[in-house]
């Protein structure tokens, strides 16, 4: 069969089955098998597939993902999310704008311990949404703000997205974690500024409300202890990475162990909670590794079909103008984030564009942080916008109502943060340079 026909057939395979809602891992694995069999013959599969599958899931960078997922599971099972918002609500003085700021900051901290934008947005929509309505924000805007805050998990370490990117490109994950801090802080500040001027409120609602019920001092004390534990845990884990005391993998192991012991000593989890947390961490890890394995097989087909090389040749005129090439790639990633799950975007696109990035001399740490941020913005926008949909379902509001405020916030963030990273690359690269 003609090679161009084989390539067209494989691309149609992927497109059609993704549109039909099939699992991404299954689609890519099937496309890779069929493409390699047609291109090289069925006898070539055994010599290629076995090695690709083994080496793709046995690399050291991927071994740290279950550790951070376990840490996140223990903190979630310990009901730390409620403590974050309870303390933030009290510090906000039950006032409108401070409570909105507390929601954004809670989303950032929740993203730091969960690594999942959809899960963070859904949790915030259920927890913070009703309280935001009480202080005067509209119901639709409250759900939208939950989605906006939840999307921060894509860039705030320990982001699963950054880990996957590091494992694909062999960029040190610790450097990606540290490099994402500056853009994450800037993005949070942009969202807070947008909240100040774009918040949708109910006319005539008072700016301050009283608590629904008398606060239990003992429950509040336990919440403060839990928040203190989170701050210490995050400081030790990321302070240790930044200080060169231990590696990212060692930090993940320390974080998982410390979170388990901490929530157990605070009486936040039972043996059943621990068991369910271990099971969920294993399930998510298996899902991610399955996607990576399938992407490796599909990527081998793309490599044999010389697609990356053709892309390098096609973009050769732009390689002399890295900023223009970067803008084009950011648009592609943003559009992909609008339609696909964030991990799928990274796994499908990065192996294809990595050769052109290196040919253009683009810093892979800088690009990785920017790519994850742009994908996080795509998660807030139609037609799919998974994070926005998660918040809409959790808050029981139409997705379009959530997209409206999310689009406004993401547009401003894209303009400010992306331009800042392009023209002031030190926002990303300065801290990682101190690790060398």
């Amino acid at each position: 069969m003609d090679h161009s026909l084989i390539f067209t057939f494989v691309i149609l395979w992927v497109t059609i089955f993704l549109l039909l809602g099939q699992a991404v891992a299954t689609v890519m694995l099937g496309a890779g098998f069929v493409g390699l069999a047609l291109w090289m013959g069925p006898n070539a599969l055994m010599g290629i597939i076995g090695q690709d599958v083994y080496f793709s899931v046995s690399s050291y960078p991927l071994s740290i993902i279950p550790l951070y997922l376990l840490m996140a599971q223990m903190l979630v099972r310990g009901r730390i999310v409620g403590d974050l918002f309870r303390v933030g609500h009290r510090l906000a003085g039950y006032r409108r704008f401070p409570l909105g700021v507390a929601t954004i900051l809670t989303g950032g901290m929740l993203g730091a311990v969960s690594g999942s934008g959809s899960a963070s947005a859904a949790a915030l929509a259920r927890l913070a949404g009703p309280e935001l309505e009480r202080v005067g924000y509209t119901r639709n805007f409250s759900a939208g703000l939950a989605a906006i805050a939840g999307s921060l998990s894509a860039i705030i370490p320990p982001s699963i997205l950054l880990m996957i990117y590091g494992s694909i490109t062999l960029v040190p994950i610790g450097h990606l974690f540290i490099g994402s801090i500056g853009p994450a802080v800037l993005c949070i500040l942009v969202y807070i500024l947008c909240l100040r001027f774009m918040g949708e409120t109910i006319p005539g609602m008072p700016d301050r409300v009283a608590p629904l019920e008398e606060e239990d001092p003992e429950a509040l004390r336990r919440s403060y202890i839990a928040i203190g534990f989170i701050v210490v845990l995050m400081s030790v884990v990321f302070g240790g990475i930044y200080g060169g005391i231990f590696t990212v993998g060692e930090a993940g192991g320390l974080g998982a162990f410390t979170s388990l012991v901490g929530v157990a000593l605070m009486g936040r989890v039972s043996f059943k909670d621990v068991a369910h947390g271990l099971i969920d961490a294993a399930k998510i890890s298996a899902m991610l590794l399955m996607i990576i394995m399938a992407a490796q097989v599909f990527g081998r087909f793309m490599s044999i079909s010389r697609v990356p090389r053709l892309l390098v040749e096609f973009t050769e005129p732009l390689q002399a103008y890295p900023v223009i090439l970067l803008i084009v790639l950011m648009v592609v990633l943003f559009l992909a984030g609008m339609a696909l799950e964030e991990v799928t975007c990274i796994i499908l696109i990065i192996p294809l564009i990595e050769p052109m990035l290196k040919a253009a001399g683009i810093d892979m740490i800088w690009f990785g942080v920017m790519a994850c941020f742009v994908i996080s913005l795509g998660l807030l926008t139609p037609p799919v916008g998974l994070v926005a949909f998660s918040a809409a379902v959790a808050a029981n509001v139409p997705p379009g109502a959530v997209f409206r405020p999310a689009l406004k916030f993401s547009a401003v963030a894209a303009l400010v943060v992306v331009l800042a990273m392009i023209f002031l690359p030190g926002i990303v690269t300065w801290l990682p340079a101190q690790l060398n």
Side-chain angles (χ1 to χ4, degrees):
M1 185 183 293
D2 183 73
H3 285 175
S4 61
L5 290 177
I6 295 173
F7 181 77
T8 303
F9 176 74
V10 171
I11 296 302
L12 287 174
W13 175 300
V14 173
T15 304
I16 292 171
F17 282 109
L18 284 179
L19 291 175
L20 291 175
Q22 298 299 305
V24 173
T26 306
V27 173
M28 288 193 295
L29 193 62
F33 278 144
V34 171
L36 288 171
L38 293 176
W39 197 284
M40 304 178 64
N43 293 332
L45 289 178
M46 296 306 297
I48 295 176
I49 300 302
Q51 294 182 18
D52 282 354
V53 169
Y54 174 77
F55 287 111
S56 65
V57 298
S58 62
S59 64
Y60 173 75
L62 290 179
S63 67
I64 70 175
I65 292 178
L67 297 174
Y68 284 96
L69 287 173
L70 180 58
M71 178 178 71
Q73 283 294 321
M74 291 300 101
L75 296 176
V76 171
R77 296 280 172 181
R79 302 177 298 281
I80 302 298
V81 179
D83 294 307
L84 285 170
F85 191 74
R86 186 179 298 112
V87 172
H89 200 170
R90 181 176 176 83
L91 293 177
Y94 305 97
R95 296 183 60 189
R96 184 180 303 147
F97 176 68
L99 185 58
V101 172
T103 302
I104 294 173
L105 296 178
T106 300
M109 294 188 69
L110 182 57
V113 301
S114 74
S116 170
S118 298
S120 301
L124 282 172
R126 286 190 295 264
L127 185 68
E131 295 299 324
L132 291 169
E133 289 182 58
R134 287 187 65 235
V135 295
Y137 287 115
T138 64
R139 186 178 187 185
N140 293 339
F141 181 80
S142 299
L145 188 62
I148 291 161
S151 70
L152 291 168
S153 64
I155 192 173
I156 292 182
S159 165
I160 299 296
L161 212 55
L162 289 172
M163 293 186 206
I164 299 293
Y165 176 87
S167 69
I168 293 174
T169 60
L170 301 181
V171 173
I173 295 175
H175 289 61
L176 289 168
F177 281 177
I178 300 301
S180 67
I181 292 176
V185 171
L186 178 59
C187 183
I188 289 173
L189 294 175
V190 169
Y191 283 161
I192 291 174
L193 190 64
C194 290
L195 175 68
R196 182 68 181 86
F197 294 101
M198 298 182 186
E200 299 173 7
T201 60
I202 302 171
M205 284 288 291
D207 185 37
R208 181 188 176 100
V209 297
L212 284 175
E213 56 186 26
E214 190 70 23
E215 289 184 342
D216 181 2
E218 181 62 23
L220 192 60
R221 185 186 68 83
R222 289 195 297 267
S223 294
Y224 279 118
I225 292 174
I227 299 305
F229 170 71
I230 288 294
V231 172
V232 171
L233 176 63
M234 293 294 106
S235 300
V236 170
V237 169
F238 296 108
I241 295 173
Y242 180 69
I245 300 174
F246 35 69
T247 65
V248 176
E250 293 166 346
L254 176 64
F257 176 77
T258 305
S259 63
L260 173 59
V261 173
V263 294
L265 290 177
M266 289 187 291
R268 295 300 191 94
V269 294
S270 62
F271 285 110
K272 185 177 181 180
D273 291 325
V274 173
H276 286 169
L278 288 167
I279 292 171
D280 287 346
K283 286 181 178 179
I284 298 172
S285 299
M287 177 193 69
L288 292 174
L289 293 177
M290 184 65 186
I291 294 175
I292 292 169
M293 180 183 70
Q296 181 68 25
V297 175
F298 182 71
R300 174 57 70 104
F301 165 74
M302 299 297 281
S303 177
I304 290 174
S305 63
R306 297 185 69 249
V307 170
R309 180 61 188 169
L310 292 174
L311 286 175
V312 172
E313 295 175 357
F314 178 75
T315 59
E316 191 171 356
L318 291 178
Q319 291 171 18
Y321 307 95
V323 173
I324 298 177
L325 176 62
L326 190 68
I327 292 173
V328 172
L329 294 177
M330 289 300 107
V331 172
V332 171
L333 288 167
F334 178 77
L335 294 175
M338 292 169 61
L340 297 173
E341 195 266 341
E342 60 262 46
V343 173
T344 306
C345 294
I346 287 290
I347 291 174
L348 280 177
I349 297 174
I350 296 302
L352 295 178
I353 66 176
E354 184 179 0
M356 72 175 72
L357 294 173
K358 292 180 177 179
I362 294 175
D363 185 279
M364 295 301 291
I365 296 176
W366 177 57
F367 180 82
V369 173
M370 193 180 307
C372 291
F373 173 72
V374 169
I375 289 173
S376 75
L377 297 180
L379 296 173
L380 292 172
T381 54
V384 178
L386 290 176
V387 170
F389 264 104
S390 297
V393 171
N396 195 26
V397 299
V402 176
F403 282 134
R404 187 168 56 252
L407 276 170
K408 295 178 183 178
F409 278 59
S410 61
V412 176
L415 182 65
V416 175
V417 181
V418 172
L419 288 179
M421 283 191 279
I422 290 176
F423 295 106
L424 297 172
I427 294 175
V428 177
T429 59
W430 185 80
L431 281 176
Q434 308 312 306
L435 294 175
N436 297 325

